[in-house]
């Protein structure tokens, strides 16, 4: 929907008139001492106010206006909420009222000084004595933003979405609190927060295609990281700390849907002298702690489903979960048998695709979305887990789990592989898969092998998708609802949208 050029022109004319009257429509600063939410809370039980008894200095965006000749009411919105203001010509002066107030529009940002009173209807209101224009809005706010059918417009113009939709603002403030809570949880348990490279000469730590860029001075290609794993484990090797973590932006050159965005936020942590059993306990504790701090309960509702986060969470081996869904076991099937079975279920098994990846196709198609209550899916095939230790009693599987809640994959964890010879063999196998056409297979990282040759203690590692955790705890159906500026398909000229 396009913004009317006539409306924009009318506002530009008002802007010029304000300038001609000697008023700067875009001043450098303005004193703010009070905020609407604090004012309303402080005065909740007060009904009678003496004139000038409660002075205020505040600023905000005009969200509604109604005038009565020589006086007018408006609502202004600051970062904490809304409050009503009352402006009279004889209070702020004829010049300010006629040359400024009458030229204000919904969307303009103003500063006011005055005192509090209650109207006849009991609404707390600021009686304005001083008025200043802080920013003239040249575009009108949409009247029925909630009614827009094209959600893409809200994602593209998040700044407007935040102005007019308090629920959206609440989601992102909750997101900030979730991240702060996760940090405090880990810090209290002795984890050290670190930073590792975003630009990497060799990407690794996950099965994904990277974004490629070029460094002109070095004349080499570099990759935006797809995961933090290999650098964080180098820190465990180096003994920086026994427990490290990073909350970071990762990037994967993949498709976009409600569960995927090419730029996303991950928590990765590593704990020396631990295994994937320890990671399960840590995951339960962290999610429960975060839910209690942010949501106030361990029982939440996600997309109409009541979910109980209380530990212990269910543990189901991956192959068992597939057998339960299909009514047939895949554990002892050869690759050829799996390809045939996949065809019967209309799953595409590509040439060169490993046996483990074909098994994973069945899991993704028939199991994932039906896991509503929190569960650990454990013991993944070795072919799709090149960085995890083999299971103690089965060399075909690994000590790996993924966390599922509400049909969402929330995280991934291993008993970390620390045998350099085994890791080298796994990388070589990944290289063969890559040569067979698997673009997401791991690349060889000789320096990481070298690091392991210095010795890495037994280590448990885990990655948690922050965006998906926020989705869960705010009951949002899509990543785009919890990422402030999600990646969008370009439009020819998005400036003309509203």
């Amino acid at each position: 929907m396009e913004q009317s050029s006539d409306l924009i022109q009318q506002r530009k004319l008002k802007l010029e008139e304000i300038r001609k009257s000697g008023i700067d429509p875009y001043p450098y600063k303005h004193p703010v001492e009070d905020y609407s939410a604090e004012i309303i809370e402080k005065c909740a039980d007060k009904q009678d106010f003496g004139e000038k008894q409660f002075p205020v200095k505040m600023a905000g965006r005009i969200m509604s206006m109604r005038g009565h000749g020589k006086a007018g009411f408006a609502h202004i919105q600051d970062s904490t909420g809304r409050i009503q203001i009352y402006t009279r010509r004889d209070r702020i002066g004829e010049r300010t009222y006629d040359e400024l107030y009458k030229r204000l529009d919904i969307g303009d940002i103003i500063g006011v000084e005055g005192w509090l009173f209650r109207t006849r209807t009991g609404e707390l209101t600021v009686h304005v004595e001083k008025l200043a224009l802080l920013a003239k809005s040249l575009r009108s706010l949409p009247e029925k933003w909630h009614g827009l059918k094209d959600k893409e417009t809200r994602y593209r113009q998040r700044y407007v979405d935040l102005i007019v939709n308090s629920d959206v603002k609440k989601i992102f403030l909750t997101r900030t609190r979730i991240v702060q809570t996760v940090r405090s949880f880990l810090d209290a348990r002795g984890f050290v927060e670190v930073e590792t490279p975003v630009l990497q000469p060799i990407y690794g730590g996950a099965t994904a295609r990277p974004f490629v860029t070029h460094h002109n001075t070095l004349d080499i290609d570099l990759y935006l990281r797809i995961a933090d794993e290999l650098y964080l484990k180098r820190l465990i090797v180096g003994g920086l700390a026994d427990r490290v973590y990073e909350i970071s932006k990762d990037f994967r050159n993949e498709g976009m849907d409600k569960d995927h965005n090419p730029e996303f936020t991950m928590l990765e942590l590593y704990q020396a002298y631990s295994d994937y059993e320890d990671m399960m306990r840590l995951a339960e504790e962290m999610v429960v702690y975060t839910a209690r701090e942010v949501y106030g309960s361990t029982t939440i509702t996600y997309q109409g489903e009541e979910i109980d986060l209380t530990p212990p969470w269910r543990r189901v081996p991956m192959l068992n979960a597939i057998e339960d869904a299909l009514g047939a076991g895949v554990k002892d099937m050869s690759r050829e048998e799996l390809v045939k079975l996949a065809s019967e279920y209309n799953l595409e098994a590509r040439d060169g695709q490993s046996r483990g990846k074909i098994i994973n196709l069945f899991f993704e198609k028939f199991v994932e979305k039906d896991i509503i209550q929190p569960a650990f899916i454990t013991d993944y095939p070795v072919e799709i887990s090149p960085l995890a230790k083999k299971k103690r009693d089965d060399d075909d599987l690994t000590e790996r789990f993924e966390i599922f809640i509400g049909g969402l994959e929330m995280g991934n964890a291993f008993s970390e592989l620390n045998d350099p010879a085994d890791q080298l063999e796994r990388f070589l196998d990944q290289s063969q898969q890559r040569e067979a056409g698997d673009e997401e297979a791991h690349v060889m990282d000789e320096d990481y092998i070298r690091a392991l040759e210095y010795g890495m203690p037994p280590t448990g590692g885990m990655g948690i998708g922050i965006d998906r955790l926020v989705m869960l705890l705010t009951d949002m159906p899509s990543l785009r609802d919890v990422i402030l500026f999600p990646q969008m398909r370009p439009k020819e000229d998005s400036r003309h949208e509203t």
Side-chain angles (χ1 to χ4, degrees), residues 468-497:
R468 293 184 184 180
L469 181 60
V470 175
M471 282 174 64
L472 181 73
L473 295 180
T474 58
D475 193 16
M476 287 292 106
S478 171
L479 281 183
R480 293 182 177 187
D481 295 318
V482 300
I483 295 175
L484 277 168
F485 300 102
Q487 189 64 47
M488 304 291 291
R489 188 181 301 278
K491 286 194 173 182
E492 289 185 5
D493 185 3
S494 60
R495 289 186 68 248
H496 295 301
E497 299 172 1

Side-chain angles (χ1 to χ4, degrees), residues 148-265:
L148 284 180
K149 294 181 180 179
D150 182 14
K151 290 191 75 173
E152 286 197 5
T153 304
R154 291 175 55 192
Y155 300 144
R156 291 180 190 278
Q157 298 181 22
R158 184 69 82 186
Y159 40 89
V160 182
D161 196 16
L162 291 168
I163 291 171
V164 300
N165 193 337
S166 60
D167 290 340
V168 171
K169 183 175 180 178
K170 183 179 178 181
I171 288 167
F172 289 104
L173 292 177
T174 301
R175 179 189 173 110
T176 295
R177 190 176 174 198
I178 288 170
V179 174
Q180 291 171 338
T181 302
V182 168
R183 274 199 170 95
S184 66
F185 174 89
L186 294 173
D187 292 344
R189 284 155 181 77
F191 282 85
V192 175
E193 185 173 10
V194 297
E195 295 179 335
T196 61
V198 176
L199 285 175
Q200 301 179 350
I202 298 174
Y203 63 94
T207 54
R209 287 180 295 176
F211 287 96
V212 186
T213 188
H214 189 79
H215 191 286
N216 292 333
T217 301
L218 297 177
D219 193 24
I220 59 170
D221 284 342
L222 294 171
Y223 306 92
L224 292 180
R225 66 181 168 203
I226 61 173
D228 308 354
E229 179 166 348
L230 301 187
Y231 280 94
L232 289 173
K233 287 195 286 193
R234 284 174 169 94
L235 298 181
I236 295 293
V237 170
L240 175 71
D242 286 346
R243 303 180 180 197
V244 296
Y245 77 96
E246 184 170 14
I247 297 176
S248 66
K249 287 290 189 180
D250 291 343
F251 307 85
R252 296 180 186 176
N253 199 346
E254 59 189 12
M256 298 184 295
D257 58 31
K258 71 181 189 66
D259 297 334
H260 297 87
N261 192 68
E263 176 182 352
F264 58 98
T265 304

Side-chain angles (χ1 to χ4, degrees), residues 28-132:
Y28 287 89
K29 63 183 293 184
H30 183 81
V32 174
E33 297 178 2
D34 305 285
Y35 291 88
S36 59
E38 296 172 359
I39 293 170
I40 292 169
E41 182 180 5
K42 183 170 62 176
C43 299
D45 298 328
K46 291 180 171 55
Q47 296 299 321
D48 297 322
F49 296 87
E51 184 170 327
K52 301 185 180 181
Q53 181 180 359
F54 291 97
V56 297
K57 291 182 180 180
M58 59 187 307
R61 187 184 298 273
I62 298 173
M63 301 304 293
S64 69
M65 295 185 75
R66 65 185 192 276
H68 301 285
K70 297 182 180 181
F73 286 92
H75 282 91
I76 63 171
Q77 177 174 287
D78 61 17
S79 61
T80 67
R82 294 187 185 188
I83 195 167
Q84 182 169 260
I85 65 170
Y86 174 63
T87 307
R88 281 175 45 172
R89 191 168 184 259
D90 60 351
R91 282 286 187 177
I92 66 172
E94 295 181 4
R95 179 174 179 269
T96 300
Y97 194 87
D98 295 339
E99 297 183 2
L100 178 57
Y101 184 79
K102 286 186 175 181
R103 290 169 178 159
L104 294 178
D105 292 297
I106 293 175
D108 290 351
I109 300 174
I110 61 172
V112 297
E113 294 184 32
W115 42 273
L116 297 176
F117 74 102
R118 287 196 184 274
T119 63
R120 293 176 187 174
T121 61
E123 184 170 358
L124 189 65
T125 304
V126 179
H127 195 301
V128 179
E129 291 193 313
K130 292 183 180 180
L131 174 73

Side-chain angles (χ1 to χ4, degrees), residues 370-440:
D370 293 328
I371 307 175
I372 304 303
Q373 298 304 317
F376 297 115
I377 302 299
T378 66
D379 308 338
Y380 283 59
V382 68
E383 299 97 328
I384 59 172
S385 311
L387 299 169
K389 275 183 176 289
K390 291 178 180 176
K391 191 169 170 57
R392 277 161 246 208
D393 57 359
D394 191 337
D395 282 351
D396 291 332
L397 303 177
T398 58
E399 294 198 351
R400 171 187 174 187
F401 69 82
E402 289 185 317
I403 305 165
F404 288 88
I405 309 174
L408 296 171
E409 178 201 332
M410 305 295 299
N412 188 24
F414 316 143
S415 294
E416 301 294 337
L417 179 56
N418 61 342
D419 179 341
D422 191 355
Q423 186 65 81
L424 177 60
E425 185 178 335
R426 304 273 196 99
F427 277 158
L428 291 172
D429 178 67
Q430 289 287 302
S431 297
Q432 290 177 359
Q433 292 184 39
R434 193 172 192 80
E435 290 173 4
D438 186 352
E439 295 181 8
E440 295 184 349

